[in-house]
Amino acid sequence: MEQLMRDFFLFLSKNKTLTKLAKQYGLRFGASRFVAGETIDEAVRVIRQLNEKGLAVTVDYLGEFVDNEREANEMARHCLEAIEAISREKLNSQLSLKMTSMGLDISDDLVMRNMRRILEAAKQRGVFVTIDMEDYSRCQKTLDIFKRLKTEYDNVGTVLQAYLYRTEKDIDDLKSYRPNLRLVKGAYKESPEVAFPDKKDVDENFKKIIKQHLLNGNYTAVATHDDAIIEYTKQLVKEYNIPNSQFEFQMLYGIRPERQIELAREGYTMRVYVPYGTDWYGYFMRRLAERPANVAFVLKGMIRK
């Protein structure tokens, strides 16, 4: 039943008609639990509140289904606006972005032009930028562009997904770039030809790649809400005398906020992924697909309304 629900919400996340309706009707029915608002000013207020609790942030202007140059340039403008706000307001925040929103599916020239604009502005203001990983079909292209950008900029990292068979090899392949990587389980529906279908195999691979990347001596962001993975990481760094300055934990805004504060108080860097913007629908559906408890929360919100 849980898998059926997950597949259903992942299917909905790719529906362009529902995406347009969501933009039209705004952050209703519980989405505001997971999305910081529709404007950068609303996001800044949330980031400041999180910073005051001892939490670091990475902020993401949401955007999906970008299929023309005008929209891609507009998405890049929002990223530049976020970088400026982080600097101006002296926030403890990085920036995350999806390269499909920068023009990845349109042309190499467009996506590289937008990425260089963003990374140059971020470099000047001391802001780190993480390139989110999307579905498997875009994985190799994303890594190829990341490698090119990493030779030009130090302030860029990317994401690898534990549910893909290829990830262990990708970490080896990237080792010479000394990359700052966010490691995640993975939130897209993928074929068993390219991804582990069973959760226990994903969890085991997640542990394996965390260890692999940390022992390579590279900065590791462990993005998880799973206590077993968190405890594994704590024991691993203790066993190998890895300093807290070489890794951090990451969680999503609105999920397990008490645990986030606990980890920060224990002395770990705890970074919260804070999305904002009008194009929140696909992101919201993936959050519902991940955790059935989130669906119950949203249904309660709808009943109250």
Side-chain angles (χ1 to χ4, degrees), residues 184-197:
V184 304
K185 287 189 181 181
Y188 294 85
K189 183 172 172 56
E190 301 290 3
S191 159
E193 291 178 9
V194 299
F196 294 102

Side-chain angles (χ1 to χ4, degrees), residues 146-192:
F146 168 70
K147 288 176 187 174
R148 287 168 65 189
L149 292 170
K150 189 70 172 67
T151 62
E152 299 173 34
Y153 298 94
D154 288 330
N155 61 321
V156 62
T158 192
V159 179
L160 291 179
Q161 300 157 321
Y163 67 178
L164 296 181
Y165 302 137
R166 62 174 288 166
T167 298
E168 188 179 353
K169 183 176 177 299
D170 285 333
I171 289 178
D172 271 340
D173 187 43
L174 291 170
K175 183 179 176 181
S176 62
Y177 292 85
R178 299 201 59 76
N180 177 323
L181 295 179
R182 177 192 301 151
L183 303 180
V184 304
K185 287 189 181 181
Y188 294 85
K189 183 172 172 56
E190 301 290 3
S191 159

Side-chain angles (χ1 to χ4, degrees), residues 10 27 74 131 153 185 191 207 216 236 260 282:
L10 288 175
L27 290 172
E74 179 67 7
I131 298 167
Y153 298 94
K185 287 189 181 181
S191 159
K207 291 175 184 176
N216 282 347
L236 183 73
Q260 294 173 13

Side-chain angles (χ1 to χ4, degrees), residues 237-271:
V237 298
K238 193 179 292 182
E239 181 183 348
Y240 289 93
N241 295 313
I242 294 167
N244 284 8
S245 58
Q246 196 192 315
F247 73 98
E248 65 185 50
F249 292 110
Q250 294 190 3
M251 293 189 192
L252 300 172
Y253 175 63
I255 300 181
R256 305 202 69 194
E258 300 86 0
R259 188 71 176 111
Q260 294 173 13
I261 292 169
E262 273 177 26
L263 286 166
R265 286 179 179 161
E266 288 171 21
Y268 300 104
T269 300
M270 175 63 240
R271 192 174 304 279

